[in-house]
């Protein structure tokens, strides 16, 4: 008898779901933390550490200009060079350097490692649907070690469609061999992740990272559940008992 012959451990996924799809950035890893680390290192190349105010101002500019990763890199570094003429290298070289160096700041949080381990132990199928460049997103996934847990990984530039296009969600559902209605999608972007998954019939969990707010043009009802940290998600999935109800901020609707 092999591990696959054993009955799956009973689990209590919410909303009558039996499989999970995750966004990648700011969902399975804290992209905002990694980007801040990169921005700090980058700014230090061009400022005397003793001039803390100027250094802090550049870091803040780099972070705000990034717009949570949604600003195209060509536009991003064009604006950076315009603001800071001392920045060296071509746009292509700066993009290449960023994609290389930001990986050094990506870490797998303990609660996410616990989640992956328990999903595998309970034989709950899961996958990843992420927008971005295939090579860069897969470098992140490999650095985090997530590729050891699933091969259902869909990156928009490789697939040819990006969230919220229904095609990429349905392809991931097919990979998991589950109907969309039985899949729980977890992500941080209300439009790309939550509305995108909702439109194909998936159930949704919105990870609400402050200070981001829900957009007025999208009904809040498309988010079936809302959590404020990834740790809050674990008890919702039945994967870890809530140690302290006072600290678990989960809302429905």
């Amino acid at each position: 008898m092999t591990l696959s012959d054993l009955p799956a451990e009973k689990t209590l996924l919410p909303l009558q779901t039996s499989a999970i799809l995750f966004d990648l950035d700011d969902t399975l890893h804290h992209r905002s933390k990694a980007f801040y680390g990169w921005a700090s290192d980058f700014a230090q190349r061009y400022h005397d550490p003793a001039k803390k105010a100027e250094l802090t101002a550049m870091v803040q500019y780099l972070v705000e200009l990034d717009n949570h990763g949604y600003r195209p890199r060509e536009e991003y570094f064009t604006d950076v060079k315009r603001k800071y003429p001392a920045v060296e290298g071509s746009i292509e070289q700066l993009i290449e350097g960023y994609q290389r160096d930001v990986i050094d700041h990506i870490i797998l949080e303990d609660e996410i490692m616990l989640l992956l381990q328990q999903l595998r132990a309970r034989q709950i199928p899961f996958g990843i649907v992420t927008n971005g460049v295939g090579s860069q997103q897969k470098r992140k996934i490999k650095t985090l070690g997530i590729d050891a847990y699933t091969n259902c990984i869909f990156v928009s530039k490789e697939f040819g469609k990006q969230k919220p296009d229904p095609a990429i969600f349905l392809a991931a559902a097919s990979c998991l061999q589950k109907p969309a209605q039985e899949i729980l999608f977890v992500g941080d972007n209300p439009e790309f992740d939550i509305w995108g998954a909702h439109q194909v019939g998936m159930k949704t969990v919105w990870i609400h990272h402050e200070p981001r707010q829900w957009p007025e043009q999208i009904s809040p009802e498309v988010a079936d559940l809302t959590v404020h940290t990834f740790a809050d998600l674990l008890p919702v999935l039945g994967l870890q008992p809530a140690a302290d109800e006072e600290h678990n901020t989960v809302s429905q609707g």
Side-chain angles (χ1 to χ4, degrees), residues 38-48 55 58-59 62:
W38 169 83
S40 298
D41 285 354
F42 186 83
Q44 288 174 18
R45 302 177 193 173
Y46 302 100
H47 288 89
D48 183 340
L55 179 61
M58 184 173 184
V59 173
L62 293 171

Side-chain angles (χ1 to χ4, degrees), residues 21 129 163-174 178-185 191-204 222 224:
L21 286 172
V129 181
K163 298 179 293 184
D165 190 290
I168 194 168
F169 292 97
L170 294 175
S174 178
K178 296 285 185 178
Q181 294 76 11
E182 291 186 19
I183 294 175
L184 188 68
F185 195 98
E191 178 184 0
F192 295 164
D193 297 327
I194 306 307
W195 181 78
H198 172 81
Q199 69 174 331
V200 300
M202 294 180 183
K203 304 302 183 182
T204 60
V222 305
D224 295 297

Side-chain angles (χ1 to χ4, degrees), residues 22-55:
F22 295 98
D23 171 49
L24 179 60
D25 294 319
D26 276 331
T27 298
L28 284 180
H29 83 97
H30 292 290
R31 181 194 179 275
S32 54
K33 289 183 181 179
F35 189 84
Y36 184 87
W38 169 83
S40 298
D41 285 354
F42 186 83
Q44 288 174 18
R45 302 177 193 173
Y46 302 100
H47 288 89
D48 183 340
K51 298 180 179 179
K52 293 184 179 180
E54 294 180 4
L55 179 61

